[in-house]
Amino acid sequence: MSVTIRTRHAFHALLATALLGWAAVAPAQEAKPAASGTVTAAPAPASPAAATAAAPKAEGGIRSQNIFDVKPEASADPNYLNQTNGERNKVQPGNNAPMWRQVSGGVTGYSSLPVSQAPEAGNLIQRFVQYPGSRFTNAGEAWRQVRNDWIIPYGAALLFVTLLALAIFYFTRGPIRLHGTETGRKIERFTPFERATHWSNALAFVTLAISGIVMAFGKFFLLPVLGGTLFGWLAYVLKTVHNFVGPLFVVTTLFMIFTFIRSNWPSKDDFTWLRHGGGLFGGKEPASHRFNAGEKAVFWGGVLFLGSIVIASGLFLDKLLPGFVYTRGEMQVAHMVHAVATLLMMAMIMGHIYIGTLGMDGAYKAMREGYVDEAWAREHHKLWYDDIQAGKIPAQRSQPAGAPEPARPATAQQGTSA
């Protein structure tokens, strides 16, 4: 036991001696050897300020610097705004403002695609423009402002006010009823061809109107109800229907114009009808020919004028008109024109639909069956009725060739309201 204790004490003493020796030798090794080979004493520590001034600059490694500490600032260069992207990167690495300034200014870059197939393949952002109702900004944003700030809200207001006015008129005044007694004698108002032309055009218009309303306003009243997935499919289907029914509307509108233009030619009697408001607000209905001034206004203003604008802009949006490059700017202008003309046309046709269905007794049946009673013709279109009585216009225009011409073909069974 005593031997073990003595051995342990000897080991501890040896360890302590080694530690003391290392502590004495280490400072001497850190000192630089003199020219004679002797070790000189280490100099006394200097003050903190002197040590900082004498410290060598760090070299190598990754360094960062505050851009506001760069002197002089790159923007102080008089040619700063005219620098190319390469010049800017020399003074401000990573600053690609010159490149994006060109992009936002509408500069078109190189593209190997032919212009006829991809006219704007090298153009990312359109040039700055100011459409009516928009700020001066790039054309895409300007178009969005016109659509969202003007066409959508005011178009919806126009349709709503028109519908509200018709509803108020109907519930306060009711339909225009026949004051006389029906005679049972019929006059052909519309031939089968005229009715087929009208109904095909009407069905095409209603289809386009409904699909257009859903695409323009559906996200406000259908999307919250149907949800995104179902509304997306509905909008996609209606858009496809819209594109295919459009050409049908073009053809039927041309048929409408050539079929009814003769009967819609203006006459001096139309001013009398307009001056009395067509008798809608009291009083006797003014005399008119086959179509009164209100119907002629719908034909010339709605079908011919607005219809031509809607058709031309719609065909352009479908890229069916030859000779155009179809750039984004052209498409934006065509869309704005198409939307405005369509909304105005819809408001006008809503009044026509009202008069032809709920607003006047016998008007819908005339277009459905083609005939009206003599009393109806005499009360609503007296000048037309007088021409038939005088033999200037046949009462039955669609009879087969060679058959005897009845003045007023009618049966007692047909003597119901027309």
Side-chain angles (χ1 to χ4, degrees):
M1 178 64 67
S2 60
V3 175
T4 303
I5 293 174
R6 285 195 300 268
T7 303
R8 185 181 302 169
H9 287 324
F11 176 75
H12 287 169
L14 180 61
L15 180 60
T17 302
L19 292 175
L20 290 174
W22 178 83
V25 174
Q29 291 178 341
E30 293 178 357
K32 292 183 178 181
S36 59
T38 60
V39 178
T40 59
S47 64
T52 303
K57 294 183 179 180
E59 298 180 357
I62 299 176
R63 294 177 297 162
S64 63
Q65 189 173 16
N66 191 334
I67 192 172
F68 296 105
D69 295 337
V70 177
K71 300 297 181 181
E73 293 183 0
S75 58
D77 184 351
N79 195 44
Y80 180 75
L81 294 179
N82 298 324
Q83 291 175 339
T84 64
N85 206 57
E87 293 172 339
R88 180 64 57 83
N89 275 316
K90 292 180 180 179
V91 295
Q92 290 182 338
N95 186 342
N96 294 324
M99 180 193 70
W100 289 109
R101 187 178 296 112
Q102 289 181 330
V103 171
S104 62
V107 175
T108 300
Y110 169 77
S111 174
S112 60
L113 297 175
V115 177
S116 59
Q117 297 180 10
E120 296 179 300
N123 188 281
L124 183 62
I125 300 177
Q126 294 174 269
R127 294 183 181 275
F128 274 46
V129 298
Q130 186 172 13
Y131 292 138
S134 76
R135 299 190 301 272
F136 182 71
T137 180
N138 66 76
E141 172 63 17
W143 166 80
R144 190 194 70 84
Q145 291 175 8
V146 173
R147 180 187 185 276
N148 293 352
D149 298 341
W150 294 93
I151 295 177
I152 295 298
Y154 288 99
L158 173 64
L159 298 182
F160 177 76
V161 169
T162 303
L163 184 62
L164 181 63
L166 294 175
I168 293 175
F169 188 88
Y170 177 77
F171 287 108
T172 55
R173 301 296 302 274
I176 301 174
R177 301 189 182 280
L178 187 64
H179 297 91
T181 304
E182 291 186 346
T183 64
R185 295 185 295 272
K186 299 295 181 179
I187 297 175
E188 187 179 35
R189 181 159 175 78
F190 300 108
T191 65
F193 178 80
E194 292 172 338
R195 285 183 285 131
T197 300
H198 174 272
W199 284 117
S200 59
N201 184 255
L203 291 175
F205 177 82
V206 170
T207 302
L208 294 173
I210 293 176
S211 57
I213 288 175
V214 172
M215 288 187 289
F217 309 106
K219 67 178 182 180
F220 301 107
F221 65 92
L222 284 179
L223 180 59
V225 177
L226 302 179
T229 301
L230 187 56
F231 175 75
W233 278 105
L234 177 64
Y236 175 78
V237 170
L238 291 179
K239 172 186 174 297
T240 305
V241 171
H242 194 93
N243 291 339
F244 278 94
V245 175
L248 175 62
F249 177 73
V250 174
V251 175
T252 57
T253 300
L254 292 177
F255 273 92
M256 283 282 293
I257 292 173
F258 289 109
T259 300
F260 295 104
I261 190 171
R262 183 178 179 181
S263 299
N264 280 280
W265 206 256
S267 67
K268 62 180 181 179
D269 302 293
D270 296 331
F271 294 101
T272 303
W273 192 95
L274 291 172
R275 188 168 61 250
H276 292 86
L280 293 176
F281 303 99
K284 185 179 180 182
E285 183 176 351
S288 62
H289 290 277
R290 186 186 179 196
F291 296 122
N292 58 43
E295 293 170 307
K296 292 178 180 179
V298 172
F299 177 83
W300 291 102
V303 177
L304 186 60
F305 178 70
L306 292 175
S308 298
I309 297 176
V310 170
I311 288 172
S313 57
L315 292 176
F316 187 91
L317 291 171
D318 279 341
K319 297 183 178 181
L320 297 178
L321 297 180
F324 292 95
V325 182
Y326 296 110
T327 62
R328 284 172 292 178
E330 294 173 342
M331 286 292 189
Q332 289 158 0
V333 173
H335 172 268
M336 292 185 288
V337 171
H338 186 78
V340 172
T342 299
L343 290 168
L344 293 175
M345 186 178 182
M346 288 172 62
M348 183 175 288
I349 297 299
M350 285 171 65
H352 174 72
I353 294 175
Y354 167 76
I355 293 295
T357 54
L358 301 176
M360 177 181 289
D361 287 348
Y364 172 74
K365 191 174 183 180
M367 183 55 71
R368 187 187 68 188
E369 298 180 357
Y371 292 90
V372 295
D373 191 85
E374 274 190 353
W376 190 94
R378 183 172 58 248
E379 184 168 326
H380 296 301
H381 299 275
K382 187 176 186 305
L383 298 178
W384 176 58
Y385 172 77
D386 291 342
D387 287 340
I388 293 176
Q389 290 295 101
K392 297 179 180 179
I393 302 174
Q396 178 73 25
R397 294 181 294 123
S398 64
Q399 69 181 44
E405 178 182 321
R408 283 170 291 279
T411 60
Q413 301 91 300
Q414 293 174 323
T416 58
S417 70

